[in-house]
């Protein structure tokens, strides 16, 4: 099968199904809800959807804990609904990539249930069960700690054994060393590709191979043992195997979620000749406002550091023939409106969001938009811990209360960083539940639905929504955005982000003022004979950039 690399022309919209649109008014989004919004997605101009998990699941981690890969979580609909969605999207020229969650299953998956019931069953070896340590096996097999805080081991009641879970207790890790597990994964992939799905977003894919010594590691503030479970020894081998046995037979794409990967590690996943993944999500830019890659430890945003991460990944991928993913939000990140130096002040909210959008959207790679980002949706209005639904938030809250040295840090960051900030219902209109449902949703709707909603923004020519439509048009129209080299024009400026996408005679420039002050930008003198393609202000003739101003300029020598 010849791969067309269609993903290089894709503009991908991420749907978090439980919060997108509720067609049957049970308070939970569903697949029919998505189908009812295809015309919205089409008018936005996106041409691919990444659908967060819709498989059957007890929903301890909102579907990232799968109990049956071959059926759909009932409140979301049925397999027939999914088939209808695939067909209708395709009829409208929109592709669909599914979320592939195979580092772990749900503890309610029948494989895990069999493994628990019968230690001699073949399913025992689908997971990692290890004997505990010390008197009465009171201590876990080692000191590793996981992504949601606490030990990665949970004891199987009344036995000496513990099972490994890098995330919640209800998410036991699969043992990829076992060939049968890999066979199961390939079958899942084939099933969905044969159904017509166009690719996968591969959840925490860099965690699938573990060092097999299972020994203690030096204790860390977070993620003790990560050298044993991130980018493990057989990662590349496993991914290449999936490529050869499955992906090579379909014109599909894969994007790996590569938490904690360095550029070099990421290159080894995406260099085309290695035949592993099409691209990866790196998190260097979203870690600019924290220390040690730990989002709970806040660090003041620095534009210089932000630019540095883009220089590194843009140039690194360009040089090795790899491809980037471009994103500023997803279902695990707090909202970008008000983040990365943008403003929540009424006067500047949309202007600065447009500025941020122009800046990330036109780099080399495939742009992603997370639902609601295009409207400028903001973090939730959570008042008490009971307002939160996310398992991570509650686990970390427990740590906040139990571990005194963490209390002050977490007091400051828990609400701000909760993943629920990105999971509030999509704001379609200004009705009681934001047009998401006519009944109370599973999580509260933001109060600002009356000012920030799709219906309103569709009718306002200068809305953020309409600005995103223009950015999408630019991506489709200007080929240099696909192939042009990325050049950071002002690496040392503390306030201005300016870059060029250049190839031969074509040059596209993005200049953004990341501050609330007007700033003289002499660099603009150089581009006086360039055409202004788009800006967030109407009058921009001078070399002074207004607060949060962005300009997109273009020239083609003939
Ligand atoms: O996320 C992986 C991941 O590393 C994040 O959970 C991250 O550590 C966390 O959000 C930090 O706050 C993926 C999914 O995107 C996430 O929703 C799942 O919870 C997780 O994997 C487990 O499947």
């Amino acid at each position: 099968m010849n791969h067309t690399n269609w993903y290089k022309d894709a503009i991908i919209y991420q749907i978090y199904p439980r919060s997108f649109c509720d067609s049957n008014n049970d308070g939970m989004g569903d697949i029919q809800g998505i189908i009812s919004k295809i015309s919205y997605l089409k008018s936005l101009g996106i041409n691919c959807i990444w659908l967060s998990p819709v498989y059957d699941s007890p929903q301890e981690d909102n579907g990232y804990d799968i109990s049956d890969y071959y059926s759909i979580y009932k409140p979301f609909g049925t397999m027939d609904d999914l088939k209808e969605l695939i067909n209708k999207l395709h009829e409208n020229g929109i592709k669909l990539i599914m979320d592939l969650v195979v580092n772990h299953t749900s503890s309610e998956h029948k494989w895990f249930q069999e493994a628990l019931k019968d230690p001699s069953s073949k399913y025992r070896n689908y997971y990692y069960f290890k004997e505990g340590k010390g008197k009465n096996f009171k201590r876990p097999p080692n000191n590793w700690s996981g992504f949601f805080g606490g030990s990665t081991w949970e004891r199987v009641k009344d036995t000496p054994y513990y099972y490994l879970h890098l995330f919640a207790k209800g998410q036991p890790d699969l043992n990829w060393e076992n060939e049968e597990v890999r066979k199961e994964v390939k079958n899942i992939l084939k099933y969905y590709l044969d159904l017509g799905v166009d690719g996968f977003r591969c959840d925490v894919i860099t965690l699938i191979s573990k060092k097999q010594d299972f020994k203690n590691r030096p204790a860390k503030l977070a993620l003790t043992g990560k050298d044993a479970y991130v980018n493990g020894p057989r990662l590349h081998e496993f991914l290449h195997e999936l490529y050869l046995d499955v992906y090579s037979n379909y014109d599909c794409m894969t994007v790996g979620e590569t938490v904690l990967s360095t550029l070099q590690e990421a290159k080894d996943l995406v260099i085309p000749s290695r035949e592993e993944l099409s691209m990866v999500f790196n998190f260097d830019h979203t870690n600019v406002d924290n220390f040690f890659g730990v989002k709970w430890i806040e660090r003041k945003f620095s534009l210089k550091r932000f630019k540095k991460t883009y220089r590194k990944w843009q140039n690194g991928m360009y040089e090795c023939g790899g491809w980037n993913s471009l994103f500023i939000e997803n279902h695990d990140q707090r909202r970008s409106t008000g983040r990365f130096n943008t403003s929540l002040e009424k006067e500047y909210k949309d202007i600065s969001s447009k500025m941020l959008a122009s800046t990330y959207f036109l780099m080399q790679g495939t742009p992603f938009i997370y639902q609601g980002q295009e409207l400028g949706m903001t973090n939730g209005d959570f008042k008490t811990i009971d307002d939160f639904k996310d398992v991570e938030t509650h686990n970390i809250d427990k740590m906040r209360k139990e571990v005194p040295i963490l209390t002050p840090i977490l007091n400051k960051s828990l609400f701000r960083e909760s993943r629920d900030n990105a999971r509030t219902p999509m704001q379609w209109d200004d009705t009681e539940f934001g047009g998401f449902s006519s009944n109370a949703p599973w999580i509260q709707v933001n109060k600002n639905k009356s000012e920030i909603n799709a219906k309103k923004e569709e009718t306002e020519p200068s809305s953020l929504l309409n600005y995103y439509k223009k950015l999408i048009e630019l991506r489709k129209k200007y080929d240099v955005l696909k192939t042009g080299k990325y050049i950071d024009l002002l690496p040392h400026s503390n306030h201005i982000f300016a870059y060029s996408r250049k190839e031969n005679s074509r040059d596209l420039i993005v200049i953004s003022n990341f501050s609330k002050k007007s700033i003289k930008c002499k660099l603009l003198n150089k581009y006086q004979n360039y055409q202004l393609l788009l800006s967030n202000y109407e009058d921009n003739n001078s070399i002074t950039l207004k607060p949060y101003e962005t300009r997109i300029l273009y020239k083609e020598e003939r």
Side-chain angles (χ1 to χ4, degrees), residues 19 41 109 118 146 194 236-237 240 253 278 331 385 491 496 525:
S19 301
L41 297 167
H109 195 288
D118 176 9
D194 289 337
H236 297 292
E237 176 196 335
H240 186 56
M253 71 86 113
S278 316
H331 64 293
I385 191 72
I496 301 175
N525 281 321

Side-chain angles (χ1 to χ4, degrees), residues 61 64 104 201 203-204 257 259 295 331-332 392 419:
D61 188 16
Y64 284 88
H104 43 265
R201 174 267 186 187
D203 190 61
V204 290
E257 189 205 21
V259 271
K295 68 175 178 179
H331 64 293
D332 294 332
E392 180 192 62
R419 305 190 297 181

Side-chain angles (χ1 to χ4, degrees), residues 283-312:
F283 293 88
D284 277 2
H285 62 293
T286 57
N287 283 329
V288 155
D289 53 13
N290 68 47
F291 283 104
F292 322 116
V294 181
K295 68 175 178 179
W296 311 108
I297 314 179
E298 187 182 10
R299 183 176 189 183
K300 197 170 174 294
F301 175 82
S302 141
L303 183 67
K304 268 182 159 171
R305 280 205 308 277
F306 194 58
K307 287 192 285 194
K308 193 172 167 197
T309 66
Y310 281 111
R311 273 201 307 280
K312 177 171 142 192

Side-chain angles (χ1 to χ4, degrees), residues 14 16 50 52-53 61-65 99 101 103-104 147-148 166-168 171 201 203-204 207 223 257-260 283 293 295-296 330-333 390-392 396 417-419 423:
Q14 183 192 351
Y16 197 64
W50 151 24
S52 277
D61 188 16
N62 293 358
Y64 284 88
D65 48 327
D99 219 306
V101 189
N103 173 67
H104 43 265
F147 286 82
F148 293 161
L166 296 183
F167 292 89
Q171 293 168 299
R201 174 267 186 187
D203 190 61
V204 290
L207 308 182
L223 302 179
E257 189 205 21
T258 50
V259 271
L260 306 167
F283 293 88
K295 68 175 178 179
W296 311 108
N330 66 34
H331 64 293
D332 294 332
Q333 299 281 327
D390 181 21
V391 59
E392 180 192 62
I396 300 290
E417 294 295 339
S418 168
R419 305 190 297 181
R423 299 174 179 185

